[in-house]
Amino acid sequence: MNDIKRKAPQKTKISKEKMKAVISILDVAERFSPKINTRARRPQIICPFHSDKHLGSCRIYTDSNTFKCESCGAHGDTLTLASGYLDIPLSSMDHLLERMVSEFGLIRENVCEQFLPDNCSGRKKGPERLSSEEYKRLLLDDHFSVPTEFEQIEYEKGEWDYVPCRETQYYYRSLAMQDPEFHDWVVCTVSRKYWLRYASMLLFCQSQGYILMEDVLQKIMDDSIRLLKKGLMNKRLYRGEMKLRNRLLNEQIEEEIRSAQNRSDSDASAV
């Protein structure tokens, strides 16, 4: 009995369909393409299947999660594009999927194949995420940059400073899967700043009777709230975030009233 070797439990395989549901072709392009132009109707990327150095020939189609290179003819879906960038053939699909889990910081169990009982034909949908265009409406951009390299310069004799010379871009869509908690903190913090600014402008327009501008600002704020609720990975944060915004807005209004009263008192004293 002691000579009998127990087989190590096999890992549950990663599901191709679940991986494609979690990682879009835009996520792959933003992660691996040396250059990308998301302002185009069909985002342009650097094709990984030939010696491509300039944008223009390879485009991705976000509505169908596919790509097509007019130069070399390469085309396919999210996994095909990832295989090109990672230099892993589709014939080694298990290796490719494992690498993608690592590259995108995914929780492996969330994209593994799972047995579904005969009476359970439905599939649980993955978390809803904003598109790049929706991030631009909510946060004014679809990515943020972090300095990764610095250059030492002498701005005065004997006085040195470090100036960023290279930055790394982090796309919100990818961040949502890599670090959901940090993603939600960034989305709340940045969008809150813009929301309070719009709210202050709206109150001013209401006090001055600028009806047309008031309608525009109200639509922007309503859209911001809708996108915030949709974009948060942890939906339970939404209620608390809105309470915080309303409290900050009330404090801002009270401060403006006090400032106006102080100015009025000062003018009266001067007279």
Side-chain angles (χ1 to χ4, degrees):
M1 293 289 291
N2 294 335
D3 294 333
I4 298 177
K5 295 182 179 180
R6 293 184 177 180
K7 292 184 178 179
Q10 292 185 345
K11 279 186 175 182
T12 306
K13 293 182 65 175
I14 297 173
S15 166
K16 293 190 297 183
E17 296 306 317
K18 287 187 176 181
M19 180 63 75
K20 288 192 287 186
V22 170
I23 301 296
S24 71
I25 199 161
L26 183 60
D27 294 326
V28 172
E30 290 174 339
R31 175 77 172 174
F32 300 115
S33 180
K35 299 177 184 177
I36 184 171
N37 176 18
T38 57
R39 292 187 296 273
R41 181 171 175 268
R42 302 295 187 187
Q44 300 169 320
I45 61 174
I46 298 297
C47 179
F49 294 98
H50 73 281
S51 183
D52 194 11
K53 296 182 180 179
H54 304 287
L55 296 173
S57 62
C58 191
R59 297 177 179 271
I60 57 175
Y61 300 81
T62 54
D63 53 346
S64 59
N65 273 322
T66 58
F67 77 98
K68 175 67 181 295
C69 179
E70 299 297 338
S71 180
C72 70
H75 63 280
D77 61 6
T78 302
L79 298 181
T80 306
L81 186 63
S83 73
Y85 283 124
L86 296 173
D87 196 23
I88 300 174
L90 290 175
S91 57
S92 301
M93 181 58 69
D94 290 343
H95 178 38
L96 174 62
L97 295 174
E98 292 286 356
R99 180 70 181 278
M100 289 182 69
V101 166
S102 176
E103 290 287 343
F104 286 93
L106 302 178
I107 299 174
R108 192 180 186 280
E109 289 74 14
N110 290 347
V111 288
C112 282
E113 295 177 351
Q114 294 179 353
F115 172 76
L116 290 175
D118 293 338
N119 60 351
C120 181
S121 58
R123 291 186 177 182
K124 187 177 180 180
K125 294 178 65 177
E128 189 174 24
R129 285 190 292 164
L130 300 179
S131 67
S132 291
E133 289 303 319
E134 287 174 324
Y135 274 115
K136 289 177 182 177
R137 295 213 310 271
L138 180 62
L139 307 175
L140 303 190
D141 214 331
D142 61 349
H143 69 277
F144 63 96
S145 301
V146 175
T148 52
E149 292 185 16
F150 297 83
E151 180 181 1
Q152 187 180 23
I153 62 170
E154 185 177 19
Y155 61 91
E156 290 184 9
K157 188 174 182 180
E159 298 291 336
W160 296 83
D161 199 0
Y162 291 90
V163 178
C165 60
R166 180 172 298 178
E167 296 180 333
T168 298
Q169 292 183 341
Y170 293 91
Y171 286 85
Y172 294 116
R173 279 184 58 83
S174 298
L175 184 65
M177 301 311 302
Q178 296 168 21
D179 193 340
E181 185 175 350
F182 180 59
H183 166 272
D184 287 353
W185 180 84
V186 171
V187 167
C188 286
T189 303
V190 177
S191 65
R192 184 191 308 143
K193 176 181 68 175
Y194 297 131
W195 185 86
L196 289 170
R197 186 181 301 171
Y198 291 135
S200 180
M201 294 169 61
L202 177 61
L203 291 173
F204 175 78
C205 290
Q206 290 173 341
S207 66
Q208 299 297 317
Y210 299 150
I211 299 176
L212 293 179
M213 193 62 187
E214 179 183 337
D215 291 341
V216 171
L217 289 169
Q218 188 63 62
K219 288 179 180 178
I220 293 175
M221 291 182 64
D222 291 344
D223 189 47
S224 174
I225 294 304
R226 181 185 66 80
L227 293 175
L228 172 69
K229 189 172 185 179
K230 177 182 176 182
L232 287 174
M233 304 299 285
N234 182 359
K235 305 299 183 185
R236 290 177 295 181
L237 296 175
Y238 174 76
R239 187 183 297 272
E241 173 63 20
M242 292 310 302
K243 287 183 178 179
L244 174 60
R245 293 186 182 199
N246 289 320
R247 178 172 64 80
L248 292 174
L249 180 59
N250 288 332
E251 291 176 357
Q252 182 175 306
I253 294 173
E254 291 173 0
E255 179 61 30
E256 290 176 356
I257 292 174
R258 283 195 296 268
S259 297
Q261 185 64 46
N262 290 336
R263 288 194 298 270
S264 177
D265 294 341
S266 298
D267 294 341
S269 299
V271 174

